[in-house]
Structures are given as structure tokens and as C-alpha cells.
Amino acid sequence: MKNGDVSEGVAQPLEWKFSQVFGERTAGEEVQEVDIISAIEFDRTGDHLATGDRGGRVVLFERTDTPDHGGNRKNLEMMDYSISRHPEFRYKTEFQSHEPEFDYLKSLEIEEKINKIRWCQSANSALYLLSTNDKTIKLWKVREKKVKKVCDLNVYPDKAAGNGSVVGSSTSTAPKPYIANGGYSERPFGCSGKDFSFPPGGVSSLHLPVVTSQETSLVAGCRRIYAHAHDYHINSISNNSDGETFISADDLRINLWNLEISNQSFNIVDVKPANMEDLTEVITSAEFHPTHCNMLAYSSSKGSIRLVDMRQSALCDTHSKLFEEQEAPGSRSFFTEIIASISDIKFAKDGKHILSRDYMTLKLWDITMDSGPVATFPVHEYLRPKLCDLYENDSIFDKFECCLSGDGLRVATGSYSNLFRVFGCSEGSTDATTLEASKNPMRRQTQTPRPARPLGSLSGVVRRVKGADNTGVDANGNAHDFSMKLLHLAWHPSENSIACAASNSLYMYYA
């Protein structure tokens, strides 16, 4: 799928290596609920990475292995994607984005948990990003601010205890009292406290304090607050390619915002029925097209994806295309709709494909072909006999995210036991790798070859990719731990590098 053509080459299996970890807990250490990571996002250049947690904090990391240490690199698109790099990031800064609130009118507690983070265009060496919890979206500006200090004060060495360092004070041999209120005063300028005696040698001259900037510090400031526009929990925000607008989506509505206007938004999608008892599906995820500012896609709890063109009408309830997979006859069960619900969608960088994640599978869709997905990657097929148990412990409602590589040749998603899967999706690819997000030296990756199926000869027929790990054990041969789940991950926009969150730890892998 490189440059929009899946037939250009076959993605060879990659050897993934552990790169870095931030915040890994020690053995026996209890993880606080507020420290669990709930959102991950690379910026457009890949030089900055942001994470949000359940405590409402946003933590920023910056790339350090580039010549300009995290600045915007030139000719980003000309970089050789095939070269293995070892990207290195360092902690940059953090700030409290959201605080817990309570809606007294609805008797509703609003958590501070960060649901999504999206980077905006940088300007004047400042970073801009959007973060949201269940109800409120905020625009943040992070910039370097010079720390100003006052020096060259009129403070004398013997009276400077507690007044800081002495800069520029001088004395002479002859006392020179100064005139105040028409007479001589015994209190020289600069003496503090109740000691009004002359300093030894008197005052030679008065110095005006000088303000200097010697250090810089990172300062995060909230520039806009977009609030009171959603009655239900916000599950998605997405920036438009025009650099001026973004959307926010909750269970029943999608709103369009201008970045400069925080007190009004336009409702462009509304699936709320006149009678809530008639409600059959809700919106689960929404994203703008990467290059066409008039197009967006949103997914539903019924496993469908709708492509919307905002040029058709102001209210986009009528979709321009509908993507859904038809049920096999006789396959319907109590769990059918639950496991069909799409938890995340992502556009490929070329905008010609959409990746979706439901509970059991990853699906790749061609936006020009709505008869079915062009590829299906089984992720949790081995869990099908355990759906009753997963329903009882609510694991079946876990919302796993998905991501695509910048060249469009691979896709990735998370699983249980802190595992994540990487699949090749180009024509003839047999790449299917399972990795464990852990610093454990015994950690290893497993590869299960898949029989190649040509993408070019589909003609509207759904392809199901075989070869998923159906053993029910993790990469180390242990039974899957459903309390350890890797829900959030992001792929570097121009390199084979993945950032993933396991509990409160951020793991970096590269190939």
C-alpha cells in the first residue's frame, strides 16, 4: 500500500527490538490508577510524542537522536523508510490538563481521564495540541519561556544574608549621605531591615537593577476551552487537514469546531432517534480524511463505517458510502453485536484505506470498495470459546486501538498479557508478529507465517488472512492475563517505530 498502491512491493518480516521504556514499575510495585496511560499520539514529524493518563495529565517526550534534537526535520518525506533506526526519546515536560469535576444539574461526576490527544500545527517554535476528557476539550500551547532574573542590586556584602547574591555593589573611602525630605538621612539606599547605619566606606553610587534572561523553561498554557457541546462522553477528536477546524464525537453526535472559536460549534452528524427506545447503534470513533478537508469517517457499535462528505449538506446524517461486512448465515449469537462493535478507526496516510479494530479482528477497507474489507487479520480468534467468561468479567467491552505504518505496508493492534500484533498488509505478505511489551530479558517475538493471498484479484470478494496466533498463550508460553491489556499504541509517521502503553509504562520498539 506504499504511495497508495498495495502492489508495489511485499513487506518482508521485520525483526522488532526493544528500544526504551518510561515509567516501568519494579517487581511488586503497586500501580496507582491515576498513572495508567489512556492516550498516545505522535506529532506529524514524529519528533514529539504525547501521552495522557487517567489522572488528567499530559506528558510530552522529544526525539534526541536527530541533529536538531527534536526540531522539525527537513525533507521528512524523502527519508529512507527501510533504514533501521534506533529512535531515542527523552522526557520533555508534563502538565495537568484536566481536573475532576461534578455536574450538579445532572448529578454526574466527570473524570479527569484523558480520552484522546491530537497534535495541531506548530507555530513560532511552540507546540500545540488538543486533549479531551469525557466532556471538555482544551487547546494547549507549550513553549520555551526565558526565566528572567534581577541582578546588579544595591545590596552590600555584610547585609546580603537572605537577600541573595551580591552583584555590582561597590564602596568608596568617603561616606556620601543622600538628601531625603529636605534634610540629611542616615539610611543609605539598599540597606534592609531596621539597621539605618552607613555601610563601611559609604555609598559610591546607586545602581539601577538590571533584568537578564539566563535560562529557559517549558511553559504549558491553555489557549482555548471547548466545553458544553456534548451531552454524552467524548470518544474521539480529529484535526482537519485545513489546519483550522477539528471534530469531536460522542455516542450520538459529531460536532465541527473552529480552533479559534471556543463558544460555538456546528453539529454535523446526529444519530439520536426521536425516541431513545428506538436507539440501535452509537458512534464509537471518528476521524478526518488526512488530505481531503471535506471528508470524514465514523464507525458504529454495529460494525459499520460511514464515509461522509461535508459538501453534500450541512447536516451529514446521510453518508456517501457505507462499509460493513455481511454476517454469515446462521452465525448470529448473543455476542455477535458486541464483538462486531468497532473500537477504533484510522485512515492510511494516503487516505485510500481505512483500518478498523473490533474485538476479534483488524479489518482493512478500500474506500473505493464498499462490498467488504480487502483484508481481515484475526487477533482474538482463540478467545471465541471464552466469550461467556469475557462477558462476565467485562473484558469483552475493552476498546483496543489500531495503527498503520507511514508507508502503509503494516498494521498493528494490542491484545492481552501486554502483547501487541504486527501484520503485513501488502500483496503477498506473510508477516505476522506477536511482541510482548516488557523489559523482561526473556521477552521474545514470535512469528506465524501466513499464506499469501493476492490483493489485486479481489474484485469485491472478501479476503480473510490466516495464520493468527490461536494458541491462547502469550509469547512466553503462558496463559493470557486478561488484567494486563495493551489498549493504546501509535506508529511513528515515517519510521518503523511503535510506542505502546502497558498500564503506567510507555514502551518503545523499532525495526
Side-chain angles (χ1 to χ4, degrees), residues 236-280:
S236 303
I237 52 175
S238 179
N239 297 94
N240 199 347
S241 57
D242 62 9
E244 298 179 359
T245 57
F246 71 94
I247 55 170
S248 59
D250 63 22
D251 293 340
L252 299 179
R253 293 187 176 96
I254 300 177
N255 293 331
L256 178 67
W257 301 82
N258 187 299
L259 283 166
E260 299 298 325
I261 302 172
S262 60
N263 59 358
Q264 68 175 359
S265 63
F266 298 94
N267 177 235
I268 57 175
V269 175
D270 188 351
V271 300
K272 184 178 180 179
N275 185 353
M276 285 295 286
E277 293 181 358
D278 299 329
L279 182 67
T280 58

mmCIF file of all heavy atoms in Angstrom, residues 236-280:
data_model
loop_
_atom_site.group_PDB
_atom_site.id
_atom_site.type_symbol
_atom_site.label_atom_id
_atom_site.label_comp_id
_atom_site.label_asym_id
_atom_site.label_seq_id
_atom_site.Cartn_x
_atom_site.Cartn_y
_atom_site.Cartn_z
ATOM 1 N N SER A 236 -13.846 10.701 20.585
ATOM 2 C CA SER A 236 -12.878 10.997 19.524
ATOM 3 C C SER A 236 -12.742 12.489 19.313
ATOM 4 O O SER A 236 -13.719 13.239 19.447
ATOM 5 C CB SER A 236 -13.309 10.362 18.192
ATOM 6 O OG SER A 236 -13.475 8.977 18.300
ATOM 7 N N ILE A 237 -11.533 12.917 18.973
ATOM 8 C CA ILE A 237 -11.284 14.234 18.394
ATOM 9 C C ILE A 237 -10.337 14.021 17.223
ATOM 10 O O ILE A 237 -9.517 13.105 17.235
ATOM 11 C CB ILE A 237 -10.694 15.247 19.407
ATOM 12 C CG1 ILE A 237 -9.462 14.656 20.111
ATOM 13 C CG2 ILE A 237 -11.720 15.710 20.403
ATOM 14 C CD1 ILE A 237 -8.754 15.651 21.024
ATOM 15 N N SER A 238 -10.461 14.843 16.187
ATOM 16 C CA SER A 238 -9.626 14.680 14.997
ATOM 17 C C SER A 238 -9.426 16.024 14.321
ATOM 18 O O SER A 238 -10.392 16.757 14.081
ATOM 19 C CB SER A 238 -10.276 13.685 14.028
ATOM 20 O OG SER A 238 -9.491 13.526 12.865
ATOM 21 N N ASN A 239 -8.169 16.348 14.013
ATOM 22 C CA ASN A 239 -7.843 17.596 13.331
ATOM 23 C C ASN A 239 -8.090 17.474 11.838
ATOM 24 O O ASN A 239 -7.851 16.429 11.235
ATOM 25 C CB ASN A 239 -6.378 17.976 13.566
ATOM 26 C CG ASN A 239 -6.072 18.247 15.018
ATOM 27 O OD1 ASN A 239 -5.645 17.360 15.733
ATOM 28 N ND2 ASN A 239 -6.290 19.465 15.448
ATOM 29 N N ASN A 240 -8.536 18.567 11.257
ATOM 30 C CA ASN A 240 -8.741 18.612 9.814
ATOM 31 C C ASN A 240 -7.440 19.002 9.121
ATOM 32 O O ASN A 240 -6.592 19.690 9.698
ATOM 33 C CB ASN A 240 -9.840 19.626 9.479
ATOM 34 C CG ASN A 240 -10.429 19.404 8.111
ATOM 35 O OD1 ASN A 240 -9.887 18.659 7.295
ATOM 36 N ND2 ASN A 240 -11.552 20.056 7.834
ATOM 37 N N SER A 241 -7.307 18.594 7.861
ATOM 38 C CA SER A 241 -6.107 18.922 7.102
ATOM 39 C C SER A 241 -6.033 20.407 6.749
ATOM 40 O O SER A 241 -4.974 20.882 6.333
ATOM 41 C CB SER A 241 -6.055 18.089 5.812
ATOM 42 O OG SER A 241 -7.214 18.297 5.022
ATOM 43 N N ASP A 242 -7.148 21.154 6.914
ATOM 44 C CA ASP A 242 -7.101 22.591 6.638
ATOM 45 C C ASP A 242 -6.387 23.374 7.726
ATOM 46 O O ASP A 242 -6.105 24.563 7.568
ATOM 47 C CB ASP A 242 -8.510 23.151 6.420
ATOM 48 C CG ASP A 242 -9.405 23.010 7.658
ATOM 49 O OD1 ASP A 242 -8.899 22.640 8.735
ATOM 50 O OD2 ASP A 242 -10.629 23.252 7.536
ATOM 51 N N GLY A 243 -6.083 22.723 8.856
ATOM 52 C CA GLY A 243 -5.366 23.387 9.936
ATOM 53 C C GLY A 243 -6.195 24.369 10.728
ATOM 54 O O GLY A 243 -5.685 25.043 11.623
ATOM 55 N N GLU A 244 -7.478 24.466 10.428
ATOM 56 C CA GLU A 244 -8.335 25.457 11.081
ATOM 57 C C GLU A 244 -9.462 24.837 11.892
ATOM 58 O O GLU A 244 -9.970 25.474 12.817
ATOM 59 C CB GLU A 244 -8.944 26.406 10.038
ATOM 60 C CG GLU A 244 -7.927 27.217 9.272
ATOM 61 C CD GLU A 244 -8.579 28.118 8.236
ATOM 62 O OE1 GLU A 244 -9.829 28.068 8.123
ATOM 63 O OE2 GLU A 244 -7.858 28.863 7.562
ATOM 64 N N THR A 245 -9.879 23.627 11.551
ATOM 65 C CA THR A 245 -11.047 23.034 12.199
ATOM 66 C C THR A 245 -10.715 21.649 12.742
ATOM 67 O O THR A 245 -9.713 21.039 12.371
ATOM 68 C CB THR A 245 -12.236 22.929 11.222
ATOM 69 O OG1 THR A 245 -11.833 22.165 10.076
ATOM 70 C CG2 THR A 245 -12.679 24.311 10.762
ATOM 71 N N PHE A 246 -11.582 21.155 13.609
ATOM 72 C CA PHE A 246 -11.477 19.789 14.119
ATOM 73 C C PHE A 246 -12.871 19.303 14.488
ATOM 74 O O PHE A 246 -13.810 20.106 14.620
ATOM 75 C CB PHE A 246 -10.512 19.703 15.298
ATOM 76 C CG PHE A 246 -11.019 20.331 16.577
ATOM 77 C CD1 PHE A 246 -11.676 19.568 17.544
ATOM 78 C CD2 PHE A 246 -10.831 21.685 16.827
ATOM 79 C CE1 PHE A 246 -12.133 20.142 18.723
ATOM 80 C CE2 PHE A 246 -11.280 22.272 18.005
ATOM 81 C CZ PHE A 246 -11.938 21.494 18.959
ATOM 82 N N ILE A 247 -13.005 17.991 14.631
ATOM 83 C CA ILE A 247 -14.286 17.420 15.042
ATOM 84 C C ILE A 247 -14.138 16.765 16.403
ATOM 85 O O ILE A 247 -13.050 16.349 16.808
ATOM 86 C CB ILE A 247 -14.810 16.379 14.028
ATOM 87 C CG1 ILE A 247 -13.768 15.276 13.789
ATOM 88 C CG2 ILE A 247 -15.257 17.018 12.746
ATOM 89 C CD1 ILE A 247 -14.286 14.094 12.990
ATOM 90 N N SER A 248 -15.245 16.686 17.100
ATOM 91 C CA SER A 248 -15.334 15.925 18.346
ATOM 92 C C SER A 248 -16.585 15.065 18.263
ATOM 93 O O SER A 248 -17.627 15.520 17.778
ATOM 94 C CB SER A 248 -15.392 16.856 19.562
ATOM 95 O OG SER A 248 -16.516 17.725 19.486
ATOM 96 N N ALA A 249 -16.465 13.821 18.716
ATOM 97 C CA ALA A 249 -17.580 12.879 18.586
ATOM 98 C C ALA A 249 -17.910 12.264 19.933
ATOM 99 O O ALA A 249 -17.011 11.905 20.700
ATOM 100 C CB ALA A 249 -17.236 11.779 17.578
ATOM 101 N N ASP A 250 -19.204 12.153 20.218
ATOM 102 C CA ASP A 250 -19.653 11.380 21.373
ATOM 103 C C ASP A 250 -20.517 10.225 20.854
ATOM 104 O O ASP A 250 -20.488 9.891 19.667
ATOM 105 C CB ASP A 250 -20.387 12.260 22.392
ATOM 106 C CG ASP A 250 -21.675 12.870 21.844
ATOM 107 O OD1 ASP A 250 -22.238 12.332 20.874
ATOM 108 O OD2 ASP A 250 -22.131 13.892 22.385
ATOM 109 N N ASP A 251 -21.284 9.603 21.720
ATOM 110 C CA ASP A 251 -22.050 8.425 21.328
ATOM 111 C C ASP A 251 -23.070 8.708 20.230
ATOM 112 O O ASP A 251 -23.364 7.826 19.416
ATOM 113 C CB ASP A 251 -22.784 7.840 22.538
ATOM 114 C CG ASP A 251 -21.818 7.254 23.560
ATOM 115 O OD1 ASP A 251 -20.673 6.970 23.174
ATOM 116 O OD2 ASP A 251 -22.214 7.081 24.733
ATOM 117 N N LEU A 252 -23.621 9.924 20.184
ATOM 118 C CA LEU A 252 -24.729 10.197 19.270
ATOM 119 C C LEU A 252 -24.497 11.366 18.327
ATOM 120 O O LEU A 252 -25.258 11.535 17.372
ATOM 121 C CB LEU A 252 -26.018 10.452 20.061
ATOM 122 C CG LEU A 252 -26.513 9.297 20.949
ATOM 123 C CD1 LEU A 252 -27.766 9.703 21.689
ATOM 124 C CD2 LEU A 252 -26.750 8.040 20.125
ATOM 125 N N ARG A 253 -23.482 12.168 18.562
ATOM 126 C CA ARG A 253 -23.302 13.361 17.733
ATOM 127 C C ARG A 253 -21.834 13.604 17.401
ATOM 128 O O ARG A 253 -20.950 13.234 18.167
ATOM 129 C CB ARG A 253 -23.875 14.602 18.440
ATOM 130 C CG ARG A 253 -25.387 14.579 18.603
ATOM 131 C CD ARG A 253 -25.875 15.911 19.146
ATOM 132 N NE ARG A 253 -27.343 15.967 19.231
ATOM 133 C CZ ARG A 253 -28.036 15.699 20.321
ATOM 134 N NH1 ARG A 253 -27.407 15.351 21.435
ATOM 135 N NH2 ARG A 253 -29.357 15.777 20.325
ATOM 136 N N ILE A 254 -21.626 14.269 16.267
ATOM 137 C CA ILE A 254 -20.302 14.748 15.872
ATOM 138 C C ILE A 254 -20.407 16.247 15.650
ATOM 139 O O ILE A 254 -21.272 16.718 14.906
ATOM 140 C CB ILE A 254 -19.793 14.052 14.595
ATOM 141 C CG1 ILE A 254 -19.685 12.542 14.808
ATOM 142 C CG2 ILE A 254 -18.446 14.616 14.176
ATOM 143 C CD1 ILE A 254 -19.249 11.774 13.576
ATOM 144 N N ASN A 255 -19.532 17.004 16.300
ATOM 145 C CA ASN A 255 -19.534 18.458 16.198
ATOM 146 C C ASN A 255 -18.283 18.936 15.474
ATOM 147 O O ASN A 255 -17.200 18.365 15.626
ATOM 148 C CB ASN A 255 -19.592 19.108 17.582
ATOM 149 C CG ASN A 255 -20.909 18.850 18.289
ATOM 150 O OD1 ASN A 255 -21.943 18.677 17.640
ATOM 151 N ND2 ASN A 255 -20.884 18.824 19.608
ATOM 152 N N LEU A 256 -18.438 20.006 14.701
ATOM 153 C CA LEU A 256 -17.335 20.633 13.978
ATOM 154 C C LEU A 256 -16.983 21.944 14.661
ATOM 155 O O LEU A 256 -17.845 22.789 14.889
ATOM 156 C CB LEU A 256 -17.733 20.882 12.515
ATOM 157 C CG LEU A 256 -16.703 21.588 11.633
ATOM 158 C CD1 LEU A 256 -15.482 20.697 11.408
ATOM 159 C CD2 LEU A 256 -17.334 21.980 10.291
ATOM 160 N N TRP A 257 -15.701 22.118 14.976
ATOM 161 C CA TRP A 257 -15.213 23.305 15.682
ATOM 162 C C TRP A 257 -14.213 24.065 14.814
ATOM 163 O O TRP A 257 -13.516 23.474 14.000
ATOM 164 C CB TRP A 257 -14.497 22.931 16.979
ATOM 165 C CG TRP A 257 -15.286 22.174 17.984
ATOM 166 C CD1 TRP A 257 -15.515 20.827 18.010
ATOM 167 C CD2 TRP A 257 -15.929 22.700 19.148
ATOM 168 N NE1 TRP A 257 -16.260 20.486 19.107
ATOM 169 C CE2 TRP A 257 -16.526 21.615 19.833
ATOM 170 C CE3 TRP A 257 -16.056 23.988 19.677
ATOM 171 C CZ2 TRP A 257 -17.228 21.777 21.024
ATOM 172 C CZ3 TRP A 257 -16.758 24.147 20.866
ATOM 173 C CH2 TRP A 257 -17.341 23.054 21.519
ATOM 174 N N ASN A 258 -14.131 25.371 15.049
ATOM 175 C CA ASN A 258 -13.012 26.169 14.570
ATOM 176 C C ASN A 258 -12.047 26.338 15.741
ATOM 177 O O ASN A 258 -12.464 26.628 16.862
ATOM 178 C CB ASN A 258 -13.487 27.536 14.070
ATOM 179 C CG ASN A 258 -12.380 28.320 13.402
ATOM 180 O OD1 ASN A 258 -11.362 28.651 13.997
ATOM 181 N ND2 ASN A 258 -12.582 28.630 12.129
ATOM 182 N N LEU A 259 -10.764 26.137 15.483
ATOM 183 C CA LEU A 259 -9.785 26.210 16.567
ATOM 184 C C LEU A 259 -9.787 27.559 17.283
ATOM 185 O O LEU A 259 -9.470 27.639 18.466
ATOM 186 C CB LEU A 259 -8.375 25.924 16.024
ATOM 187 C CG LEU A 259 -8.044 24.456 15.740
ATOM 188 C CD1 LEU A 259 -6.780 24.343 14.900
ATOM 189 C CD2 LEU A 259 -7.890 23.689 17.047
ATOM 190 N N GLU A 260 -10.161 28.623 16.563
ATOM 191 C CA GLU A 260 -10.122 29.961 17.148
ATOM 192 C C GLU A 260 -11.404 30.328 17.879
ATOM 193 O O GLU A 260 -11.462 31.360 18.541
ATOM 194 C CB GLU A 260 -9.848 31.003 16.047
ATOM 195 C CG GLU A 260 -8.525 30.813 15.324
ATOM 196 C CD GLU A 260 -7.338 30.956 16.257
ATOM 197 O OE1 GLU A 260 -7.414 31.780 17.192
ATOM 198 O OE2 GLU A 260 -6.336 30.236 16.061
ATOM 199 N N ILE A 261 -12.456 29.514 17.734
ATOM 200 C CA ILE A 261 -13.759 29.848 18.328
ATOM 201 C C ILE A 261 -14.147 28.736 19.306
ATOM 202 O O ILE A 261 -14.385 27.602 18.907
ATOM 203 C CB ILE A 261 -14.840 30.001 17.246
ATOM 204 C CG1 ILE A 261 -14.427 31.077 16.242
ATOM 205 C CG2 ILE A 261 -16.178 30.339 17.875
ATOM 206 C CD1 ILE A 261 -15.329 31.168 15.041
ATOM 207 N N SER A 262 -14.216 29.064 20.564
ATOM 208 C CA SER A 262 -14.475 28.047 21.587
ATOM 209 C C SER A 262 -15.902 28.069 22.119
ATOM 210 O O SER A 262 -16.305 27.150 22.838
ATOM 211 C CB SER A 262 -13.503 28.231 22.756
ATOM 212 O OG SER A 262 -13.663 29.515 23.348
ATOM 213 N N ASN A 263 -16.668 29.082 21.780
ATOM 214 C CA ASN A 263 -18.010 29.199 22.370
ATOM 215 C C ASN A 263 -19.123 28.715 21.449
ATOM 216 O O ASN A 263 -20.297 28.842 21.773
ATOM 217 C CB ASN A 263 -18.283 30.645 22.796
ATOM 218 C CG ASN A 263 -18.192 31.623 21.642
ATOM 219 O OD1 ASN A 263 -17.894 31.234 20.518
ATOM 220 N ND2 ASN A 263 -18.446 32.893 21.930
ATOM 221 N N GLN A 264 -18.782 28.161 20.282
ATOM 222 C CA GLN A 264 -19.824 27.606 19.423
ATOM 223 C C GLN A 264 -19.227 26.535 18.514
ATOM 224 O O GLN A 264 -18.056 26.576 18.162
ATOM 225 C CB GLN A 264 -20.491 28.691 18.579
ATOM 226 C CG GLN A 264 -19.606 29.317 17.524
ATOM 227 C CD GLN A 264 -20.356 30.308 16.649
ATOM 228 O OE1 GLN A 264 -21.544 30.518 16.810
ATOM 229 N NE2 GLN A 264 -19.655 30.915 15.710
ATOM 230 N N SER A 265 -20.065 25.567 18.186
ATOM 231 C CA SER A 265 -19.684 24.508 17.260
ATOM 232 C C SER A 265 -20.897 24.175 16.401
ATOM 233 O O SER A 265 -22.029 24.569 16.710
ATOM 234 C CB SER A 265 -19.205 23.261 18.008
ATOM 235 O OG SER A 265 -20.253 22.720 18.795
ATOM 236 N N PHE A 266 -20.654 23.435 15.317
ATOM 237 C CA PHE A 266 -21.727 23.063 14.409
ATOM 238 C C PHE A 266 -21.928 21.556 14.468
ATOM 239 O O PHE A 266 -20.977 20.792 14.297
ATOM 240 C CB PHE A 266 -21.390 23.496 12.980
ATOM 241 C CG PHE A 266 -21.235 24.978 12.815
ATOM 242 C CD1 PHE A 266 -19.985 25.565 12.898
ATOM 243 C CD2 PHE A 266 -22.338 25.795 12.611
ATOM 244 C CE1 PHE A 266 -19.830 26.936 12.762
ATOM 245 C CE2 PHE A 266 -22.197 27.162 12.473
ATOM 246 C CZ PHE A 266 -20.941 27.739 12.555
ATOM 247 N N ASN A 267 -23.152 21.152 14.720
ATOM 248 C CA ASN A 267 -23.469 19.733 14.759
ATOM 249 C C ASN A 267 -23.623 19.227 13.323
ATOM 250 O O ASN A 267 -24.504 19.674 12.596
ATOM 251 C CB ASN A 267 -24.749 19.500 15.556
ATOM 252 C CG ASN A 267 -25.164 18.052 15.557
ATOM 253 O OD1 ASN A 267 -26.288 17.714 15.192
ATOM 254 N ND2 ASN A 267 -24.265 17.172 15.952
ATOM 255 N N ILE A 268 -22.749 18.299 12.903
ATOM 256 C CA ILE A 268 -22.784 17.836 11.519
ATOM 257 C C ILE A 268 -23.327 16.412 11.404
ATOM 258 O O ILE A 268 -23.759 16.006 10.322
ATOM 259 C CB ILE A 268 -21.389 17.925 10.866
ATOM 260 C CG1 ILE A 268 -20.350 17.136 11.658
ATOM 261 C CG2 ILE A 268 -20.961 19.376 10.711
ATOM 262 C CD1 ILE A 268 -18.992 17.090 11.001
ATOM 263 N N VAL A 269 -23.304 15.640 12.488
ATOM 264 C CA VAL A 269 -23.878 14.294 12.483
ATOM 265 C C VAL A 269 -24.681 14.118 13.762
ATOM 266 O O VAL A 269 -24.187 14.405 14.848
ATOM 267 C CB VAL A 269 -22.794 13.193 12.381
ATOM 268 C CG1 VAL A 269 -23.431 11.810 12.497
ATOM 269 C CG2 VAL A 269 -22.030 13.313 11.072
ATOM 270 N N ASP A 270 -25.917 13.648 13.617
ATOM 271 C CA ASP A 270 -26.780 13.408 14.773
ATOM 272 C C ASP A 270 -27.554 12.121 14.533
ATOM 273 O O ASP A 270 -28.420 12.067 13.655
ATOM 274 C CB ASP A 270 -27.735 14.584 14.981
ATOM 275 C CG ASP A 270 -28.523 14.476 16.289
ATOM 276 O OD1 ASP A 270 -28.449 13.405 16.927
ATOM 277 O OD2 ASP A 270 -29.190 15.450 16.661
ATOM 278 N N VAL A 271 -27.222 11.087 15.286
ATOM 279 C CA VAL A 271 -27.903 9.800 15.111
ATOM 280 C C VAL A 271 -28.898 9.538 16.238
ATOM 281 O O VAL A 271 -29.418 8.425 16.362
ATOM 282 C CB VAL A 271 -26.886 8.640 15.035
ATOM 283 C CG1 VAL A 271 -25.935 8.827 13.866
ATOM 284 C CG2 VAL A 271 -26.095 8.503 16.340
ATOM 285 N N LYS A 272 -29.178 10.557 17.041
ATOM 286 C CA LYS A 272 -30.114 10.377 18.141
ATOM 287 C C LYS A 272 -31.537 10.251 17.616
ATOM 288 O O LYS A 272 -32.027 11.139 16.905
ATOM 289 C CB LYS A 272 -30.022 11.569 19.102
ATOM 290 C CG LYS A 272 -30.899 11.416 20.341
ATOM 291 C CD LYS A 272 -30.730 12.604 21.281
ATOM 292 C CE LYS A 272 -31.605 12.439 22.522
ATOM 293 N NZ LYS A 272 -31.446 13.576 23.460
ATOM 294 N N PRO A 273 -32.237 9.154 17.932
ATOM 295 C CA PRO A 273 -33.619 9.000 17.462
ATOM 296 C C PRO A 273 -34.577 9.862 18.269
ATOM 297 O O PRO A 273 -34.250 10.326 19.376
ATOM 298 C CB PRO A 273 -33.888 7.513 17.690
ATOM 299 C CG PRO A 273 -33.011 7.135 18.842
ATOM 300 C CD PRO A 273 -31.770 7.994 18.716
ATOM 301 N N ALA A 274 -35.748 10.094 17.720
ATOM 302 C CA ALA A 274 -36.760 10.884 18.430
ATOM 303 C C ALA A 274 -37.146 10.218 19.735
ATOM 304 O O ALA A 274 -37.389 10.892 20.748
ATOM 305 C CB ALA A 274 -37.990 11.074 17.532
ATOM 306 N N ASN A 275 -37.192 8.908 19.731
ATOM 307 C CA ASN A 275 -37.475 8.137 20.936
ATOM 308 C C ASN A 275 -36.240 7.289 21.252
ATOM 309 O O ASN A 275 -35.829 6.451 20.444
ATOM 310 C CB ASN A 275 -38.693 7.240 20.716
ATOM 311 C CG ASN A 275 -39.098 6.512 21.990
ATOM 312 O OD1 ASN A 275 -38.399 6.564 23.010
ATOM 313 N ND2 ASN A 275 -40.237 5.830 21.941
ATOM 314 N N MET A 276 -35.643 7.522 22.414
ATOM 315 C CA MET A 276 -34.401 6.826 22.754
ATOM 316 C C MET A 276 -34.589 5.314 22.840
ATOM 317 O O MET A 276 -33.612 4.561 22.785
ATOM 318 C CB MET A 276 -33.842 7.360 24.079
ATOM 319 C CG MET A 276 -33.188 8.730 23.954
ATOM 320 S SD MET A 276 -31.710 8.708 22.913
ATOM 321 C CE MET A 276 -30.542 7.910 24.016
ATOM 322 N N GLU A 277 -35.830 4.861 22.973
ATOM 323 C CA GLU A 277 -36.071 3.419 22.984
ATOM 324 C C GLU A 277 -35.827 2.790 21.610
ATOM 325 O O GLU A 277 -35.654 1.582 21.489
ATOM 326 C CB GLU A 277 -37.501 3.119 23.437
ATOM 327 C CG GLU A 277 -37.768 3.478 24.896
ATOM 328 C CD GLU A 277 -39.177 3.142 25.317
ATOM 329 O OE1 GLU A 277 -39.951 2.665 24.454
ATOM 330 O OE2 GLU A 277 -39.510 3.341 26.492
ATOM 331 N N ASP A 278 -35.775 3.629 20.581
ATOM 332 C CA ASP A 278 -35.515 3.146 19.228
ATOM 333 C C ASP A 278 -34.029 3.134 18.888
ATOM 334 O O ASP A 278 -33.658 2.803 17.763
ATOM 335 C CB ASP A 278 -36.249 4.021 18.203
ATOM 336 C CG ASP A 278 -37.755 3.979 18.404
ATOM 337 O OD1 ASP A 278 -38.252 2.930 18.866
ATOM 338 O OD2 ASP A 278 -38.425 4.984 18.100
ATOM 339 N N LEU A 279 -33.191 3.508 19.839
ATOM 340 C CA LEU A 279 -31.751 3.566 19.592
ATOM 341 C C LEU A 279 -31.191 2.167 19.361
ATOM 342 O O LEU A 279 -31.380 1.262 20.180
ATOM 343 C CB LEU A 279 -31.044 4.220 20.786
ATOM 344 C CG LEU A 279 -29.530 4.404 20.672
ATOM 345 C CD1 LEU A 279 -29.208 5.422 19.580
ATOM 346 C CD2 LEU A 279 -28.944 4.848 22.000
ATOM 347 N N THR A 280 -30.509 1.979 18.232
ATOM 348 C CA THR A 280 -29.957 0.663 17.895
ATOM 349 C C THR A 280 -28.445 0.662 17.783
ATOM 350 O O THR A 280 -27.822 -0.395 17.860
ATOM 351 C CB THR A 280 -30.539 0.162 16.567
ATOM 352 O OG1 THR A 280 -30.239 1.113 15.532
ATOM 353 C CG2 THR A 280 -32.051 -0.019 16.673
#
